Amino acid sequence: MIRVAVVDDEPMVCAHLRTILGSAGDIEVVDEAHDGAAGVEAVVRSRPDLVLMDLRMPGVDGVTAIERIGQLAQPPVVVVLTTFDADQYVLRALRAGAAGFLVKSTPPEDLIGLVRVAAEGNTVLSPAAARRLIAASADSQSARDRARELVGTLTEREAEVLAGLGQGLSNAQIAGRLFLSEATVKGYISRILVKLDCANRTQAGLLAHDAGIVGKID
């Protein structure tokens, strides 16, 4: 059973998500909150596997809540709920530790599937959306230089795996392209996250975009 907490300042949105996700036999909405501070409290109280987090809320916003959740001992997966997928707020949330994002207009059947994908530790972020976000980013040259410096600490194979993360590929897809086993790819990813000080594969994928190495494998 996938335990989900919903954080959105619109009670109707929470009710809508509760109805949709509750229709799936393997998903249970265990808590909800209507601002970021209450969202963090809900995580501590109910210990969900996954949090659907709105960004623009009164008081403590979603980005701040994501940062606070990431500081917990065993943080759940956090997926952003957004209206506009190229919003700079989304990019800030991803850099803060969110595993991906879902547009609020996502069809119900797709929403259920994407929640399952995210709960398994996979990125919920299309390569096209990542490119739009990075293209719209106002990051400084120093940030890009820092990304390249970090990537420079990786081995050639690790950099190839990182490029796959930047393309939004699954472990199986990366394994197929690099002629490796999925277990080997998983091991590479674990080492990459440590070396790059990234909370999850989404952060690592964004760093790959910053460093300009996306597209290194075909």
Side-chain angles (χ1 to χ4, degrees):
M1 184 67 70
I2 302 169
R3 294 165 53 82
V4 177
V6 179
V7 185
D8 194 292
D9 64 338
E10 292 288 343
M12 285 294 291
V13 172
C14 292
H16 179 64
L17 291 170
R18 185 181 286 274
T19 298
I20 292 172
L21 298 177
S23 69
D26 58 340
I27 301 174
E28 178 185 7
V29 177
V30 296
D31 213 330
E32 69 177 68
H34 305 299
D35 65 67
V40 177
E41 292 173 1
V43 169
V44 173
R45 177 174 59 246
S46 300
R47 303 188 66 81
D49 302 306
L50 182 141
V51 180
L52 293 177
M53 177 75 71
D54 189 20
L55 293 180
R56 287 183 170 83
M57 294 179 287
V60 175
D61 64 14
V63 174
T64 302
I66 290 168
E67 291 172 342
R68 292 180 183 177
I69 289 171
Q71 294 169 357
L72 298 176
Q74 293 182 307
V77 173
V78 181
V79 175
V80 168
L81 286 171
T82 182
T83 303
F84 304 105
D85 65 3
D87 191 335
Q88 281 304 298
Y89 230 57
V90 175
L91 186 59
R92 285 180 55 203
L94 295 172
R95 295 195 189 284
F101 67 84
L102 297 173
V103 179
K104 289 185 179 181
S105 59
T106 300
E109 62 274 17
D110 293 342
L111 176 66
I112 291 170
L114 290 169
V115 164
R116 289 173 177 146
V117 168
E120 292 173 355
N122 296 307
T123 301
V124 185
L125 177 68
S126 73
R131 286 193 293 271
R132 287 198 301 276
L133 285 167
I134 296 299
S137 175
D139 279 354
S140 64
Q141 182 64 45
S142 62
R144 290 191 288 274
D145 290 342
R146 177 180 175 277
R148 294 184 182 119
E149 182 180 350
L150 285 170
V151 170
T153 66
L154 303 180
T155 66
E156 181 178 355
R157 181 62 89 187
E158 287 169 347
E160 290 174 334
V161 173
L162 178 63
L165 293 181
Q167 292 178 335
L169 302 181
S170 67
N171 289 2
Q173 289 171 320
I174 295 172
R177 293 191 179 195
L178 296 180
F179 304 102
L180 301 170
S181 70
E182 286 189 53
T184 298
V185 170
K186 185 176 180 180
Y188 274 122
I189 292 173
S190 295
R191 291 194 292 276
I192 288 168
L193 295 182
V194 172
K195 284 188 174 183
L196 301 183
D197 192 26
C198 290
N200 53 47
R201 59 195 292 141
T202 304
Q203 280 190 339
L206 288 173
L207 192 145
H209 279 274
D210 286 346
I213 69 167
V214 174
K216 293 286 187 179
I217 59 176
D218 300 313

